[in-house]
């Protein structure tokens, strides 16, 4: 199955090449017709000159004879053939004409007075001149080697231009897809994976609830057994409810891009809320007391809270939060993340191999990353297994603004 990028390249290239092919076909036909008409125009001129020459000689114009003797036609003489036939000699003229044209063409020549024809490798023009001095037919033929040369040259040029256009189309298409379509394909694959994991996470508690109900209804039980079953059902229902809420929050984070729900948040006051837990300690760097950010306070709290909650869950020691001019750093001394799992830890429903014994569904970190991305914050994860994890939430461009600067604008 082709990737979306390859399909678009193929369709775009096919449409472009079809349009180019049609344009080149029209150009080829026009150039070929133009070359033939150029020949015929030359032949008409030669026929007219020959006719005038013969007429003037018949009338005894000595001036014209002298002019024609000194006239130089260096281009036409080597390649053209001129024949003058006495049209009054019907039989002899017809036999001569049959060497170059068909009987039907001879009749059209007599009716119309002019005929363009092809004879072997030659293009020919026959003109019928009825004059008082006598009727005659002038035939001028020209070899088509020059025309064939022009056709070949046009063919070479068209092939070269077509090849160049194909190369340009493919390169431009590839450049476009690398910037946009490949990203779309990756997003589509992530969406499919997300749906697969979401259905799996929701199916597990539903299956557990259904199993508990079936077991409880198989026979009559005492109140304690029913209470145990209801407690297990409640736990699974809470687990499913928590998963659904996090999925809704994740969807909200992906769609919150209009900025209408954002407000000014002072980082120091905001992060102080998490120090209610005695294991969490806040360190504010010098000059960062008034650092702030424009964000949705509810979503920002959810993002930072998920990271802090993970640090507390996977560590039994204290958790440090450090506020710098352009970053917020959360570090713990817990179980850490295996090196091979770090690149995937921000994907929805992905859980590191050493977290199987801890309760969770793998949405929290993905939710935090997507929320922070809305506000220009990039998340970097540094971790070593059994040594701890450091989450660096760094502003992609510049430093955090000052509350006094925002207030003065």
């Amino acid at each position: 199955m082709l990737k979306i990028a390859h399909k678009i390249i193929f369709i775009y290239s096919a449409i472009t090449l079809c349009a180019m092919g049609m344009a080149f076909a029209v150009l080829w036909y026009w150039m070929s017709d133009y070359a033939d008409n150029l020949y015929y125009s030359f032949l008409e001129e030669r026929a007219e000159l020959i006719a005038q020459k013969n007429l003037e000689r018949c009338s005894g114009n000595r001036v014209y004879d002298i002019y024609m003797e000194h006239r130089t036609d260096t281009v036409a003489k080597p390649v053209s053939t001129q024949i003058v036939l006495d049209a009054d000699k019907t039989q002899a003229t017809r036999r001569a004409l049959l060497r170059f044209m068909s009987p039907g063409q001879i009749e059209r020549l007599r009716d119309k007075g002019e005929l363009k024809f092809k004879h072997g490798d030659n293009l020919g023009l026959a003109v019928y001149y009825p004059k008082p001095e006598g009727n005659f037919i002038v035939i001028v033929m020209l070899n088509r080697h020059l025309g064939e040369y022009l056709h070949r040259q046009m063919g070479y040029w068209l092939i070269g231009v077509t090849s160049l256009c194909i190369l340009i189309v493919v390169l431009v298409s590839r450049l476009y897809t690398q910037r946009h379509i490949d990203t779309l394909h990756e997003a589509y694959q992530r969406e499919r994976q997300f749906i697969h994991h979401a259905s799996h996470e929701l199916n597990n508690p539903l299956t557990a609830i259904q199993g508990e109900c079936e077991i409880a209804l198989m026979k009559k039980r005492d109140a304690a057994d029913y209470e145990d079953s209801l407690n297990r059902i409640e736990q699974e229902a809470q687990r499913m409810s928590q998963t659904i809420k996090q999925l809704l929050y994740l969807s909200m984070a992906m769609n919150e891009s209009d900025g209408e729900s954002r407000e000014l948040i002072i980082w120091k006051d905001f992060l102080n809320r998490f120090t209610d837990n005695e294991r969490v300690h806040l360190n504010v760097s010098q000059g960062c007391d008034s650092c702030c950010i424009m964000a949705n306070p509810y979503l920002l709290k959810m993002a930072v809270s998920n990271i802090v909650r993970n640090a507390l869950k996977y560590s039994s020691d204290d958790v440090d939060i450090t506020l710098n001019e352009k970053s917020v750093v959360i570090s713990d001394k817990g179980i850490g993340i295996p090196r091979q799992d770090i690149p995937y830890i921000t994907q929805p429903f992905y859980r590191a191999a050493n977290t199987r014994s801890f309760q969770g569904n793998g949405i929290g970190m993905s939710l935090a990353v997507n929320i922070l991305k809305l506000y220009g914050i990039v998340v970097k994860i540094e971790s070593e297994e059994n040594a701890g994890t450091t989450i660096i939430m760094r502003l992609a461009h510049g430093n955090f603004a000052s509350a006094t600067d925002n207030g003065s604008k």
Side-chain angles (χ1 to χ4, degrees):
M1 180 179 178
L2 291 174
K3 291 175 63 176
I4 296 176
H6 295 161
K7 290 182 180 179
I8 292 181
I9 288 178
F10 176 77
I11 295 173
Y12 179 79
S13 301
I15 293 174
T16 304
L17 291 177
C18 287
M20 290 168 51
M22 293 177 62
F24 286 149
V26 172
L27 178 63
W28 174 267
Y29 175 79
W30 179 80
M31 291 293 290
S32 299
D33 188 64
Y34 173 79
D36 289 344
N37 288 335
L38 188 64
Y39 273 95
Y40 285 126
S41 298
F42 174 77
L43 294 175
E44 288 177 357
E45 180 184 358
R46 295 298 301 169
E48 186 67 27
L49 288 174
I50 293 169
Q52 290 180 6
K53 180 178 179 181
N54 281 274
L55 287 174
E56 294 295 340
R57 282 184 172 176
C58 290
S59 62
N61 190 329
R62 181 58 185 164
V63 175
Y64 188 81
D65 289 343
I66 295 173
Y67 164 74
M68 291 303 297
E69 288 174 1
H70 292 82
R71 187 174 182 271
T72 56
D73 289 332
T74 56
V75 176
K77 287 181 179 178
V79 293
S80 63
T81 302
Q82 303 94 25
I83 302 174
V84 180
L85 300 174
D86 187 353
D88 294 331
K89 298 179 180 180
T90 308
Q91 296 298 327
T93 301
R94 183 176 180 83
R95 286 196 300 271
L97 291 175
L98 286 174
R99 294 169 52 193
F100 310 109
M101 58 189 73
S102 66
Q105 290 177 319
I106 295 174
E107 294 301 323
R108 288 198 297 273
L109 172 62
R110 293 187 182 278
D111 294 339
K112 297 182 178 180
E114 183 177 305
L115 176 70
K116 296 176 181 178
F117 65 93
K118 295 180 180 179
H119 177 64
D121 292 333
N122 299 311
L123 289 177
L125 177 71
V127 183
Y128 181 78
Y129 288 96
K131 297 292 181 179
E133 295 85 356
N135 301 322
F136 61 95
I137 299 174
V138 176
I139 299 176
V140 182
M141 290 186 296
L142 195 64
N143 194 282
R144 291 194 298 172
H145 290 323
L146 179 60
E148 293 174 355
Y149 171 77
L150 292 175
H151 290 171
R152 284 197 303 272
Q153 292 301 313
M154 285 190 293
Y156 295 150
W157 274 100
L158 289 179
I159 292 174
V161 171
T162 302
S163 301
L164 180 61
C165 290
I166 292 174
L167 180 62
I168 293 174
V169 167
V170 172
L171 290 178
V172 171
S173 302
R174 185 58 186 169
L175 179 63
Y176 176 80
T177 55
Q178 283 179 343
R179 290 186 176 183
H180 303 284
I181 308 304
D182 284 346
T183 303
L184 177 62
H185 177 75
E186 292 173 2
Y188 172 71
Q189 295 299 329
R190 286 197 303 269
E191 188 73 16
R192 290 183 59 185
Q193 187 179 21
F194 175 82
I195 293 173
H196 171 75
H197 288 310
S199 61
H200 177 74
E201 289 294 327
L202 292 176
N203 185 63
N204 285 343
L206 283 174
T207 302
I209 291 173
Q210 184 178 7
E212 285 292 337
C213 292
E214 290 176 354
I215 292 174
L217 295 174
M218 287 179 64
K219 62 180 181 179
K220 291 183 178 180
R221 304 176 185 275
D222 54 30
D225 291 336
Y226 283 122
E227 186 176 353
D228 290 340
S229 294
L230 289 175
N231 286 332
R232 286 191 291 270
I233 290 174
E234 182 184 15
Q235 292 176 358
E236 295 296 336
Q238 288 178 352
R239 175 185 167 192
M240 183 171 64
S241 176
Q242 183 67 19
T243 301
I244 292 174
K245 285 181 181 180
Q246 290 185 322
L247 291 175
L248 291 175
Y249 294 151
L250 184 58
S251 175
M252 184 189 305
M254 292 178 176
N255 294 322
E256 198 274 318
S257 58
D258 53 9
E260 294 181 357
S261 59
R262 301 182 185 185
E263 59 185 65
L264 186 67
I265 298 175
I266 307 297
W267 273 114
K268 180 180 179 181
D269 298 338
F270 174 79
L271 295 174
N272 262 324
R273 303 177 186 177
F274 300 100
T275 59
D276 291 343
N277 189 311
E278 59 183 12
R279 290 174 54 200
V280 178
H281 304 284
L282 175 62
N283 304 302
V284 180
S285 299
Q286 186 177 1
C288 296
D289 290 342
S290 61
C291 286
C292 63
I293 189 173
M294 292 295 297
N296 182 317
Y298 180 72
L299 290 178
L300 187 62
K301 179 182 177 182
M302 186 183 304
V304 178
S305 176
N306 284 342
I307 296 174
V308 173
R309 189 183 301 114
N310 283 344
L312 291 170
K313 179 167 62 174
Y314 299 119
S315 172
S316 58
D317 294 327
D318 292 346
V319 174
D320 293 322
I321 302 178
T322 304
L323 173 61
N324 299 312
E325 289 184 350
K326 60 170 60 177
S327 66
V328 175
V329 181
I330 300 175
S331 58
D332 65 67
K333 298 178 178 61
I335 64 173
I337 304 172
R339 184 181 300 274
Q340 66 273 13
D341 289 332
I342 293 178
Y344 311 103
I345 205 66
T346 58
Q347 293 183 4
F349 299 106
Y350 187 90
R351 302 193 69 198
N354 59 347
T355 62
R356 306 304 182 191
S357 59
F358 295 86
Q359 187 177 1
N361 50 28
I363 299 179
M365 195 62 192
S366 174
L367 177 59
V369 170
N370 279 278
I371 292 174
L372 294 171
K373 189 185 298 182
L374 294 174
Y375 310 122
I377 297 176
V378 179
V379 176
K380 181 181 179 182
I381 301 175
E382 298 178 353
S383 184
E384 184 178 347
E385 195 170 3
N386 299 320
T389 300
T390 298
I391 306 295
I392 304 172
M393 298 175 285
R394 181 181 297 275
L395 201 61
H397 303 286
N399 301 336
F400 291 121
S402 171
T404 55
D405 293 338
N406 279 275
S408 62
K409 292 181 179 180

